[in-house]
Amino acid sequence: MLDYRRFKEINDLFASGQPERARRLLMELQSRCIALRDEMSMLKVRLQTFEDIFYLSRNLYAENGFYWLKTAGAKQGPFCTHCYESEGALIRLEKTGSQLRCPYCDSSYAGSPRDSGGHADSGLALRQARILPFAK
């Protein structure tokens, strides 16, 4: 923890004509402050990671052999079961003809996911991404 009384001590040292001692103390205080900021940044990243894990644990579910994610009342997915179970990665499956294929691990799944209803967007249709041209 940063001791704020040290700032008064540094000020008193400068005022009493001891600038070298004050500078050494100030450099020590600065280095402690930098270390605390680095630790705080690292803790923020860890906290965000734990919040993401908690969110997934509450909103990711398996249905009809596929993984789905609930987000703001919408059903996202389906996601590759192989990628999630082996690496913990959520890779959205792409529809190719009558099959679903994972673009990452190249796993194929026959048919299409059946929606059991009860979600905000029952009757979900898989869509391919569209490329929107921008004006030059």
Side-chain angles (χ1 to χ4, degrees):
M1 188 89 197
L2 203 54
D3 186 4
Y4 293 102
R5 289 177 294 180
R6 302 286 261 177
F7 287 108
K8 174 145 179 34
E9 185 180 338
I10 291 168
N11 190 42
D12 291 344
L13 285 171
F14 274 121
S16 69
Q18 301 177 43
E20 278 308 310
R21 280 189 63 201
R23 269 193 208 96
R24 261 189 268 117
L25 198 56
L26 191 56
M27 287 172 49
E28 177 186 317
L29 202 58
Q30 181 183 23
S31 126
R32 288 180 63 205
C33 183
I34 290 169
L36 286 173
R37 296 284 271 174
D38 289 345
E39 182 181 8
M40 192 168 70
S41 294
M42 188 246 339
L43 289 172
K44 282 181 181 180
V45 168
R46 287 181 63 190
L47 177 63
Q48 184 61 51
T49 301
F50 287 129
E51 286 175 347
D52 292 345
I53 290 169
F54 183 66
Y55 177 82
L56 281 177
S57 72
R58 288 184 25 212
N59 294 296
L60 186 69
Y61 62 97
E63 182 180 283
N64 298 323
F66 296 99
Y67 283 103
W68 300 87
L69 183 63
K70 282 188 295 185
T71 58
K75 185 176 176 181
Q76 303 291 323
F79 298 100
C80 178
T81 56
H82 177 264
C83 288
Y84 181 70
E85 290 168 0
S86 64
E87 298 180 30
L90 287 178
I91 310 295
R92 189 183 303 269
L93 297 172
E94 297 175 343
K95 188 166 179 80
T96 55
S98 64
Q99 290 191 333
L100 293 172
R101 189 184 68 76
C102 176
Y104 182 74
C105 72
D106 212 30
S107 293
S108 292
Y109 302 90
S112 64
R114 286 170 273 135
D115 191 2
S116 65
H119 294 284
D121 60 343
S122 293
L124 178 72
L126 294 175
R127 297 175 292 175
Q128 293 290 331
R130 284 191 336 198
I131 298 174
L132 300 174
F134 289 97
K136 291 186 180 182

